[in-house]
Amino acid sequence: MTTQQIVLSTVLALMVFSVALELRVDDFRRVLQTPKAVLCGLIPQFILLPIGTWLATLALDLPANVEAAMILVAACPGGSLSNVVTHFGRGNTALSVSVSAVASVIALFATPFNFGWMIATNPATAGWLRELNLDASGIWVSLLVMLAIPMALGLLFSHRFPSLTGRIQKPLANFSLAALLAFIVLGLVKERQLLTLGLLPMLAIVILHNASGLLFGWLTSVAMGVSVRDRRAVMIEGGMQNSGLALGIIAVQFNSDLGMVIIASLWGIWHIVSGMTCALYWRRIDARSAALPASG
């Protein structure tokens, strides 16, 4: 592994570790108490967005590495920022945390499975993967190193050292998030010759892809009849994929393929913009609703 790959893998592992420090048994127990709402949050992530992305890559004539990046991002679970954005948007934060916790466990199996079948059944990406002589099953190793192990260590650490956990969790989370954003920005600066109008088509792809995740979350929550606060959590979970995890897999398994890195990096920036936009809109709606009785 190169120094860049080691640094990114370490940063992502720290982020997962810090998220795991926040998890409690109640976050998983809540699944049994509100199974419908949790299932509603998982369907867009692991079924609708992957299938929708696969169909889109079959219909569109995009470069193989761009399609592979879209497929990889769609196969990843929701990002750790979803809980913060849901809370800011006055959604059901407890539901968001529970969905994120369950999604992280499911991702150990669902992410390589979804990525494997989508890549293999798309002629363009299947041929490209054969040319690279890469084995898609190597994603299992990346998920083990960057997701499973740090999550298990975080849960164990928080259980054994609760007081220390309370002191280090927030600073560690802030550091790992800042480090990931810095990694993305520095990567884009390094390839600044690409930051031209020619990048707009890729940004448009990311915006539409992200919007489809939010839309799938909204459609699922409406179809399943969950509450407004639950709907907000489900939408954010559906639209804020773990692009950081995708970047780590790209660095380790795909030797930082430039086209894939650009898509995942743009996702990492844009999903924050779209998520916060939704949250601000919801807060504005709540403020107007609260003001109605007084004006009447």
Side-chain angles (χ1 to χ4, degrees):
M1 293 178 66
T2 65
T3 302
Q4 181 188 37
Q5 292 171 332
I6 293 173
V7 170
L8 179 56
S9 298
T10 302
V11 168
L12 291 170
L14 277 175
M15 179 173 286
V16 174
F17 179 81
S18 66
V19 170
L21 292 179
E22 290 188 90
L23 297 179
R24 300 292 181 267
V25 175
D26 285 345
D27 298 329
F28 293 93
R29 186 180 294 131
R30 199 177 294 115
V31 177
L32 300 177
Q33 299 170 347
T34 57
K36 178 182 175 181
V38 173
L39 180 63
C40 185
L42 295 173
I43 289 175
Q45 290 187 48
F46 293 111
I47 299 177
L48 298 183
L49 185 59
I51 292 177
T53 301
W54 174 68
L55 292 173
T57 58
L58 291 178
L60 300 174
D61 185 20
L62 299 172
N65 58 346
V66 171
E67 292 188 354
M70 293 172 62
I71 287 172
L72 179 58
V73 169
C76 286
S80 57
L81 284 174
S82 61
N83 309 146
V84 177
V85 175
T86 297
H87 178 72
F88 184 76
R90 295 172 180 166
N92 189 338
T93 308
L95 173 61
S96 178
V97 172
S98 294
V99 171
S100 296
V102 176
S104 298
V105 176
I106 294 176
L108 297 175
F109 308 96
T111 294
F113 173 77
N114 277 338
F115 181 76
W117 75 258
M118 286 190 287
I119 283 284
T121 54
N122 180 319
T125 54
W128 177 72
L129 205 62
R130 284 193 296 270
E131 289 178 10
L132 292 179
N133 195 27
L134 292 176
D135 183 4
S137 64
I139 293 178
W140 284 95
V141 178
S142 297
L143 288 173
L144 182 67
V145 173
M146 291 184 285
L147 191 61
I149 293 176
M151 177 163 287
L153 290 175
L155 290 170
L156 179 63
F157 191 93
S158 63
H159 177 71
R160 296 290 299 274
F161 309 104
S163 58
L164 180 59
T165 296
R167 293 197 298 270
I168 70 171
Q169 191 281 321
K170 188 172 182 178
L172 187 61
N174 291 338
F175 169 78
S176 58
L177 176 59
L180 177 60
L181 291 176
F183 188 92
I184 293 174
V185 172
L186 289 174
L188 292 175
V189 170
K190 181 181 177 183
E191 304 294 341
R192 57 187 175 276
Q193 71 276 10
L194 299 174
L195 301 180
T196 64
L197 292 178
L199 198 64
L200 290 179
M202 283 196 174
L203 178 59
I205 289 170
V206 168
I207 291 174
L208 292 173
H209 196 198
N210 173 252
S212 68
L214 294 168
L215 177 62
F216 287 139
W218 181 80
L219 290 173
T220 305
S221 60
V222 169
M224 297 185 69
V226 298
S227 68
V228 171
R229 293 185 69 243
D230 288 356
R231 186 184 307 162
R232 293 176 181 182
V234 171
M235 280 186 63
I236 294 300
E237 290 295 325
M240 295 195 72
Q241 301 305 103
N242 195 338
S243 54
L245 178 60
L247 272 173
I249 293 173
I250 291 167
V252 175
Q253 299 297 330
F254 296 92
N255 198 27
S256 296
D257 176 87
L258 187 57
M260 297 186 76
V261 167
I262 290 175
I263 290 293
S265 296
L266 290 176
W267 247 96
I269 296 170
W270 179 255
H271 78 168
I272 297 175
V273 174
S274 65
M276 289 302 294
T277 300
C278 288
L280 288 169
Y281 174 71
W282 293 330
R283 289 175 69 91
R284 187 175 179 180
I285 288 177
D286 290 348
R288 285 181 175 178
S289 299
L292 283 177
S295 62

